[in-house]
Amino acid sequence: MKILVVGGGGREHTIIKKIKENKNVEEIFALPGNGGIAADATCVQIGAKDIDGIVAFAKENKIDYAVVAPDDPLVLGAVDALNAIGIPCFGPNKAAAIIEGSKVFSKNLMKKYGIPTADYNVFTNPSDALEFIKTAPLPTVIKADGLALGKGVIIAEDRETAVDAVKSMMEDKVFGESGSNIVIEEFLTGPEVSVLAFTDGKTLKPMVSSMDHKRAGDNDTGLNTGGMGTVAPNPYYTESVAKECMEKIFIPTMNAMNAEGRTFKGCLYFGLMITEKGPKVIEYNCRFGDPETQVVLPLLESDLLTVMQAVTNETLADTEVKFSDGHACCVVMASKGYPQKYESGFEIDIPAEIADSVYVAGAKLDDGKLKTAGGRVLGVTATADTLEGAINAAYAKVNQISFANAYCRKDIGQRALKALK
Ligand code: AMP
Ligand code: GLY
């Protein structure tokens, strides 16, 4: 089989390495991939948002199956376009991808179907939003409606910050049309849990839970990033929480999308907060999370491509999705300065014996040498029987990798470890 994977980060590298385990796979193309992914797939310089380019490539190269991993192409309708030329895909169609593409849609969906989430108001013009903010309880949470590279959420502790957030989104359009409408919602507290789930619209099978570490600095200080590391499973996701999520959130969400005529097929990501009043949805994503994928898929014992095809063929009910009982930890190595200014172009040295567990996010090949080319450069994952063992093994691998200006958090997994004790 010839497989096409759209995307080019650590998540895509993880998916590709896992798909490669299937014996029927002859060749994998990554569009656009990256310098590290090039070791596992044929990278082609077609951008993930270039839907026409992706479709033309898929047709010309007689692709048998495509995986569309990032949010942008999904929301733009890459799956619809590939299906239209007869190529089966993993990922939701455009109508279903709106669950991530529009926060107004997802909040209204949850309200309509009684799925627990933060209370909220939708604003379509800045004057109403500014008026509301004058008396809103603080902190308050301001979210751009559309995709904003993960930066569209502002938690305002004071009114001045809230006013600035509304003005920058709605008037200055820092996120373009994504900020034309906004959601202002109640601030929730509690531990966060990420749960990715396979669903074909009839059946939903959650994957092992995970915990992201979004802030740049140790002890959750500093700026928000795309994710500095993950562990799985997440100790806050107890059996009783899992049961409650399945009954009150996961299945109702699948059913709600069906009822709206927007059947979701693919990986549905639930960003949850375990509040005193039970689990609530912070956000939905229409795709695998990054860097959650880097800890979840290494624990998957079933064949990934088989499960993906079952989702496409709507036979997930008859397909085993089995995870190991072990633990995984992924530490992201970034360029010093990320998520702000950083330098690139430094040679990366990865010993061959650990290359299997290194997922490259931001690197390019230059004269055959792998060099840094992004804020988050790579993720290193280790699995073990215990969380402590996984953390130690991941950091031991980190110490074997070198590039100039490398930075990583030293405390990935520590919060989870404390929660376990
Ligand atoms: P998002 O970009 O939607 O993942 O949101 C980024 C982060 O903002 C989340 O991971 C939460 O930590 C935080 N957040 C979002 N919504 C809320 C909320 N209603 N209350 C508290 N924190 C929130
Ligand atoms: N790790 C959060 C996300 O993928 O959106």
Side-chain angles (χ1 to χ4, degrees), residues 335 342-348 362-364 366 369-374 377 403-405:
S335 304
Y342 58 83
E343 286 175 55
S344 286
F346 302 112
E347 205 172 319
I348 307 169
K364 60 167 195 255
D366 183 5
K369 291 189 179 119
L370 192 63
K371 294 189 176 167
T372 62
V377 175
F403 55 88
N405 285 4

Side-chain angles (χ1 to χ4, degrees), residues 118 141 143 153 155 185-188 192 214 273 282-283:
V141 184
K143 301 186 169 183
V153 175
I155 296 176
E185 71 177 28
E186 174 198 11
F187 178 75
L188 299 176
E192 289 185 57
K214 286 203 165 113
M273 198 173 264
I282 289 285
E283 62 161 345

